[in-house]
Amino acid sequence: GAGVSQSPSNKVTEKGKDVELRCDPISGHTALYWYRQRLGQGLEFLIYFQGNSAPDKSGLPSDRFSAERTGESVSTLTIQRTQQEDSAVYLCASSASGGQAGQPQHFGDGTRLSIL
Amino acid sequence: GQSLEQPSEVTAVEGAIVQINCTYQTSGFYGLSWYQQHDGGAPTFLSYNALDGLEETGRFSSFLSRSDSYGYLLLQELQMKDSASYFCAVGSARQLTFGSGTQLTVLP
């Protein structure tokens, strides 16, 4: 597609359930990023994929969070045993090549996750 | 680690000029970027400075002083549609660290 696509756009679930969020990056973009944005806050880096290299998981807040990406395509972010503090907008971004700050990151519209 | 500071809110009137400042502390500096985010929308890239000086893109300009660890975004001829949050971000070798954002309100 023309832009980064994320699904679902909204997700409401009960505390303790697992959730899976999906991101389709722009075709040909080798770098893919996941961020978390709490209400009124900045973007919190979670994880970064670059081609077939080992992902940079340094931003994942706990072992309940994991993410996968197959090659240079779709990525999924999984949150296990959700907690209320996980409520936030989860944003995915892709860029033509990772590593350099000058490469614009193109963001999806995000998944708004609400934990009851 | 990396940290950034920017004002939380700025208000200006339509047609005016506004400057949003950003100071940063970082190890391994790869440049300063600016992103715009409207309420409920996705962040969109505005500009990037790797070297000292001013970069101009239409009504928007961005400035960087590496020796002062400081930059700013300058918005001219403000329009109502410029009301949004503006984030500065510093790059490392692999990722961007974003500031908490500045909420710009443009009044008629």
Side-chain angles (χ1 to χ4, degrees), chain A residues 81-97:
Chain A
R81 305 180 302 280
T82 52
Q83 304 294 314
Q84 288 188 330
E85 67 259 26
D86 299 334
S87 294
V89 176
Y90 289 82
L91 289 159
C92 175
S94 69
S95 67
S97 64

Side-chain angles (χ1 to χ4, degrees), chain B residues 64-75:
Chain B
L64 175 65
S65 169
R66 288 174 296 170
S67 60
D68 295 322
S69 298
Y70 164 75
Y72 65 72
L73 180 69
L74 190 72
L75 297 85

Side-chain angles (χ1 to χ4, degrees), chain A residues 45-69:
Chain A
F45 168 78
L46 296 178
I47 190 168
Y48 159 60
F49 296 91
Q50 171 59 45
N52 293 316
S53 302
D56 178 352
K57 303 180 181 180
S58 61
L60 294 179
S62 77
D63 59 8
R64 296 188 296 105
F65 287 72
S66 62
E68 294 183 347
R69 186 185 188 195

Side-chain angles (χ1 to χ4, degrees), chain A residues 2-116:
Chain A
V4 177
S5 176
Q6 292 188 245
S7 61
S9 55
N10 287 281
K11 177 73 175 178
V12 181
T13 192
E14 293 180 345
K15 176 182 172 182
K17 301 287 189 182
D18 297 351
V19 295
E20 189 173 276
L21 313 180
R22 177 187 169 104
C23 173
D24 274 287
I26 293 173
S27 178
H29 278 191
T30 60
L32 186 147
Y33 307 79
W34 283 99
Y35 295 90
R36 178 169 68 181
Q37 187 175 33
R38 294 198 166 103
L39 187 64
Q41 302 294 313
L43 282 70
E44 177 187 1
F45 168 78
L46 296 178
I47 190 168
Y48 159 60
F49 296 91
Q50 171 59 45
N52 293 316
S53 302
D56 178 352
K57 303 180 181 180
S58 61
L60 294 179
S62 77
D63 59 8
R64 296 188 296 105
F65 287 72
S66 62
E68 294 183 347
R69 186 185 188 195
T70 304
E72 295 180 357
S73 61
V74 170
S75 174
T76 55
L77 176 70
T78 301
I79 308 174
Q80 296 178 307
R81 305 180 302 280
T82 52
Q83 304 294 314
Q84 288 188 330
E85 67 259 26
D86 299 334
S87 294
V89 176
Y90 289 82
L91 289 159
C92 175
S94 69
S95 67
S97 64
Q100 293 300 316
Q103 284 289 336
Q105 294 188 16
H106 301 265
F107 284 82
D109 288 333
T111 293
R112 186 174 301 276
L113 178 64
S114 299
I115 308 300
L116 302 178

